[in-house]
Amino acid sequence: MFILTSINDKITELLGPLGLIIIVGVLGLGLVAVTVTMMMRQPEDPLEKLKRSATSNTGKDAKTQLRDKDGNAQLQKFATFLEPKDVAELSAKQLELRQAGYQSRDAVRVFYFAQMILGIIGLIAGVVYVNFLGGGEGLSTQKMMMYSVGPGAVGYYLPKYWVTRRVAERKEQIERGFPDALDMMLVCVEAGQSMDQCIVRVARELRASYRALADEFEVVAYEMKAGKDKVTVLNDMGTRCGVQDVSSFVTVLVQSAAFGTSIADALRVYAAEMRDKRVMRAEEAANKLPTKMTLATMMLTVPPLLIILVGPSVHGITQLGNMGGPGQ
């Protein structure tokens, strides 16, 4: 017991109150580095080697090889650690990343890899700042723990915050461009084009203004060309976008196809509703503007006004007080 106490005192003397935590953290990072190195150096699967050699010998072009490629080979080795075990959780994360605009098959792995790397970097930065750069001087043990672990927590949740913001921005962009897309689809349908042709045309025309919505229409066009069921494709689009207007539009198209009604009439009615809804959103934003400006107006107008009105009186009273002081 005396030996352990003396070792603890020496560690505290050299590294401070968090000496044991630093040592344990360094050992943990070392074990992680050793594990990663061992996994990187593991022998290649013979089946993967045969598959790669067969691909190289068949003389496929670059597009075919890109389509057959099974994602990032480096991330594939860590798929066990970088993907959720639960299928429902994995599907939910894939949907969230697709709504943020990340369509790659490695998006989930990259997301969790970024969380892990940024968390470790933040933790190392916090420990170095508190214990080696003098940032922990005069702080209690609780505050030192907060300053050491806090940057790691911030780095861990930073990718989630980024994805959440991307999802919100992308949904807003889709909502802004959807009325224009409906008007263009209505024009194309009334001009005699089929639904597939008008989707391709709208995707091409919207590329410059609303890239997110154009990407969704392109995915729909490619899936229809691949022979996927049209109803399934449209429902998948509504799920991917996560916007109520798009989901309602998908429902209108599905019901129009099911009951055999004219798609042009359905598009005409729904496009008119979307235009009215966009005008209502603009009016709502305009009505909110005076309320938002009230606080800023008070903060920027009232203090200067008080200084102008009350300042001379305060200055005069101060001068009178200074003149009367020595006489007393």
Side-chain angles (χ1 to χ4, degrees):
M1 190 67 180
F2 176 74
I3 297 175
L4 296 177
T5 305
S6 61
I7 294 174
N8 188 19
D9 294 338
K10 290 181 180 179
I11 293 174
T12 304
E13 183 180 355
L14 291 174
L15 301 178
L18 298 178
L20 289 176
I21 298 177
I22 295 174
I23 293 176
V24 172
V26 171
L27 290 176
L29 292 176
L31 292 175
V32 171
V34 171
T35 304
V36 172
T37 304
M38 292 177 63
M39 294 184 64
M40 291 290 292
R41 292 183 177 180
Q42 65 182 357
E44 186 179 3
D45 190 0
L47 294 177
E48 294 293 334
K49 187 182 297 185
L50 290 174
K51 187 185 299 184
R52 189 178 68 251
S53 62
T55 303
S56 60
N57 293 330
T58 52
K60 295 182 179 180
D61 57 353
K63 292 183 178 180
T64 306
Q65 292 181 4
L66 181 62
R67 184 173 63 248
D68 294 339
K69 186 175 178 57
D70 190 18
N72 194 320
Q74 298 297 331
L75 292 178
Q76 179 68 25
K77 298 180 180 180
F78 306 101
T80 306
F81 303 97
L82 298 178
E83 287 184 356
K85 301 295 184 182
D86 189 9
V87 178
E89 183 180 356
L90 178 61
S91 301
K93 183 57 67 177
Q94 288 177 344
L95 177 60
E96 182 182 4
L97 292 174
R98 285 172 181 169
Q99 288 178 351
Y102 302 107
Q103 307 289 342
S104 173
R105 67 177 66 187
D106 292 327
V108 178
R109 299 172 189 172
V110 173
F111 174 79
Y112 285 109
F113 181 74
Q115 277 193 325
M116 182 183 68
I117 292 299
L118 292 178
I120 292 175
I121 292 175
L123 182 61
I124 294 174
V127 171
V128 170
Y129 174 75
V130 170
N131 295 278
F132 300 101
L133 298 181
E137 295 181 357
L139 297 178
S140 61
T141 304
Q142 184 178 4
K143 289 185 177 181
M144 291 181 67
M145 288 288 294
M146 291 177 59
Y147 289 167
S148 300
V149 181
V154 172
Y156 181 80
Y157 286 103
L158 186 61
K160 185 174 180 59
Y161 172 74
W162 172 261
V163 170
T164 303
R165 284 198 59 184
R166 285 272 301 175
V167 170
E169 292 176 358
R170 199 164 183 269
K171 288 183 178 180
E172 184 179 358
Q173 184 181 0
I174 291 174
E175 287 181 354
R176 289 201 310 266
F178 195 63
D180 295 335
L182 287 180
D183 291 336
M184 294 179 63
M185 290 182 68
L186 178 60
V187 172
C188 293
V189 171
E190 290 182 343
Q193 291 185 345
S194 65
M195 194 65 187
D196 300 348
Q197 292 174 342
C198 76
I199 288 177
V200 174
R201 181 62 181 269
V202 169
R204 184 169 64 250
E205 296 294 336
L206 288 178
R207 173 65 56 184
S209 302
Y210 306 102
R211 185 179 180 85
L213 189 57
D215 291 338
E216 295 298 333
F217 277 119
E218 280 190 353
V219 172
V220 172
Y222 289 144
E223 289 182 346
M224 287 183 178
K225 288 180 181 179
K228 196 173 181 179
D229 183 51
K230 186 178 295 185
V231 176
T232 305
V233 170
L234 294 174
N235 289 326
D236 291 342
M237 177 186 176
T239 304
R240 282 196 311 270
C241 293
V243 179
Q244 183 61 38
D245 295 341
V246 180
S247 300
S248 302
F249 166 72
V250 169
T251 303
V252 169
L253 290 184
V254 171
Q255 290 180 353
S256 176
F259 294 106
T261 58
S262 175
I263 296 179
D265 295 339
L267 284 175
R268 187 179 299 106
V269 174
Y270 198 74
E273 291 181 359
M274 286 296 101
R275 286 195 297 271
D276 295 339
K277 194 172 183 180
R278 181 166 57 181
V279 173
M280 292 174 62
R281 287 174 180 167
E283 292 177 351
E284 181 181 0
N287 292 331
K288 288 181 180 178
L289 189 60
T291 305
K292 294 180 179 179
M293 293 179 60
T294 301
L295 182 60
T297 303
M298 293 178 61
M299 293 177 61
L300 298 175
T301 305
V302 175
L305 184 61
L306 290 177
I307 293 174
I308 293 172
L309 295 177
V310 183
S313 302
V314 174
H315 180 70
I317 294 172
T318 304
Q319 294 296 326
L320 291 176
N322 293 332
M323 292 174 60
Q328 293 177 354

